């Protein structure tokens, strides 16, 4: 077997393994989430692409359950932050506290809930812009800085934020700098008639489905690396560049 043939065989095996693992994760999530296949696919795309996702929808559509279920299927640490108007940045990233031991008093960094593999920022637009901005460094750099000390976050790190529609009472629009950190904004629609029947069957029986881990977080990192190795056709790259240029008013490609 030539070197090129061996390399092609390895690539084919890697792609097949990737597809199988992704299918297992989707099937496991589907045990809990009904009628939201497009949302599940979008969230997994963000996770494997190294980005973050923003889910918008009215309360009660299973957004929180989706994030928790995904964390369980990849055996990753999960943290939920309930955003409220009185939430402070230190409540998210952590703060230095005074501890006392046999050596005396000293400052020790107490980690906040941002230090998890999968972070659910629940109802993010109920907090003030100052608190929302606490996520900026973590989402873009994978680290947080407190008192001039930078703390790295464990990989994989994935933020999935939910927000209520802006017409609901007590919501704040996300600033542009915050929106730019999200890979996708996914709108969660109300389930259809058949999906509602399935949800009723599952929630009124004595058997509640429980998701099981099918891959671990180290495998997620491997899948991310494989995604970045996929070659990008020049025509696709050019299309993406033209779309980007069209969003800048100062360029000649901008739309009217």
């Amino acid at each position: 077997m030539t070197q090129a043939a061996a390399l092609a065989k390895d690539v084919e095996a890697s792609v097949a393994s990737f597809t199988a693992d992704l299918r297992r994760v989707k099937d496991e999530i589907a045990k809990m989430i009904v009628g939201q296949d497009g949302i599940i696919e979008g969230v997994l795309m963000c996770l494997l692409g190294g980005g973050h996702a923003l889910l918008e929808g009215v309360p009660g559509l299973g957004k929180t359950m989706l994030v928790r279920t995904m964390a369980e299927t990849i055996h990753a640490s999960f943290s939920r932050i309930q955003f409220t108007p009185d939430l402070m940045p230190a409540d998210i990233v952590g703060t230095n506290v005074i501890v006392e031991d046999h050596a005396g008093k000293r400052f020790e960094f107490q980690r906040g809930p941002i230090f998890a593999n999968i972070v659910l920022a629940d109802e993010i637009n109920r907090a003030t812009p100052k608190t929302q901005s606490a996520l900026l460094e973590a989402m873009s750099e994978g680290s947080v800085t407190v008192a001039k000390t930078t703390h790295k976050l464990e990989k994989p790190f994935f933020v999935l934020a939910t927000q209520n529609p802006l017409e609901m009472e007590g919501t704040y629009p996300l600033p542009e700098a915050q929106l730019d950190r999200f890979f996708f904004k996914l709108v969660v629609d109300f389930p259809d008639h058949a999906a509602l029947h399935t949800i009723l069957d599952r929630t009124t029986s004595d058997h509640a489905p429980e998701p099981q881990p099918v891959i671990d977080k180290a495998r997620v990192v491997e899948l991310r690396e494989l995604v970045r190795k996929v070659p990008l056709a020049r025509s696709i790259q050019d299309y993406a560049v033209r779309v980007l240029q069209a969003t800048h008013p100062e360029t000649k490609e901008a739309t009217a």
Side-chain angles (χ1 to χ4, degrees):
M1 182 182 295
T2 64
Q3 184 177 0
L7 179 60
K9 187 175 182 180
D10 290 341
V11 171
E12 184 179 353
S14 297
V15 172
S17 177
F18 177 97
T19 304
D21 286 341
L22 184 60
R23 171 56 58 186
R24 291 166 61 203
V25 172
K26 291 176 67 174
D27 291 345
E28 201 66 26
I29 294 176
K31 291 181 179 180
M32 299 294 296
I33 307 300
V34 180
Q36 300 290 355
D37 294 342
I39 300 298
I40 294 174
E41 184 174 343
V43 169
L44 290 176
M45 194 180 301
C46 288
L47 174 66
L48 298 178
H52 309 282
L54 176 64
L55 299 184
E56 180 177 284
V58 297
L61 295 183
K63 300 185 295 295
T64 302
M65 182 182 293
L66 168 61
V67 188
R68 188 184 301 274
T69 302
M70 185 174 67
E72 292 176 355
T73 57
I74 66 175
H75 200 60
S77 59
F78 168 77
S79 180
R80 175 184 176 183
I81 306 173
Q82 182 64 54
F83 279 70
T84 56
D86 60 345
L87 189 72
M88 299 300 292
D91 298 327
I92 298 174
V93 300
T95 186
N96 288 321
V97 297
I98 299 177
V99 296
E100 186 174 2
D101 53 21
H102 63 279
K105 295 182 179 179
R106 57 185 173 83
F107 281 104
E108 183 177 284
F109 179 64
Q110 184 173 345
R111 296 186 170 193
I114 196 69
F115 287 86
N117 296 123
I118 296 182
V119 176
L120 169 62
D122 211 2
E123 297 184 312
I124 188 173
N125 60 336
R126 289 200 180 279
T128 60
K130 177 182 179 181
T131 301
Q132 293 171 3
S133 65
L135 291 173
L136 291 178
E137 181 186 3
M139 294 174 65
S140 60
E141 306 295 337
S143 62
V144 296
T145 301
V146 178
K148 299 182 180 180
T149 301
T150 300
H151 305 269
K152 283 291 184 182
L153 300 172
E154 182 187 5
K155 294 182 180 181
F157 175 69
F158 177 63
V159 173
L160 201 155
T162 68
Q163 72 170 0
N164 296 326
L166 292 180
E167 63 268 15
M168 295 191 68
E169 184 178 355
T171 59
Y172 300 84
L174 295 180
E176 290 295 330
Q178 184 73 58
L179 286 173
D180 189 55
R181 272 25 180 218
F182 290 103
F183 198 57
F184 279 154
K185 175 184 175 181
L186 304 170
V187 179
V188 183
D189 295 323
F190 197 78
D192 59 21
H193 188 83
L196 288 174
H197 272 292
T198 303
I199 294 171
L200 279 174
D201 291 339
R202 293 185 180 183
T203 55
T204 56
S205 66
D206 58 353
H207 175 68
E210 295 183 3
Q212 301 296 324
V214 292
I215 61 174
D216 58 20
K217 54 188 178 183
R219 178 57 177 161
V220 174
V221 175
E222 294 176 359
L223 296 179
R224 281 185 171 185
E225 293 174 352
L226 181 60
V227 167
R228 295 188 67 86
K229 293 178 181 178
V230 175
L232 183 63
R234 190 69 177 182
S235 58
I236 302 298
Q237 189 180 66
D238 183 65
Y239 177 79
V241 169
R242 287 188 285 113
V243 170
L244 174 63
Q245 289 179 325
T247 64
H248 289 258
E250 68 275 9
T251 63
K252 62 181 181 180
E253 291 83 4
T255 57

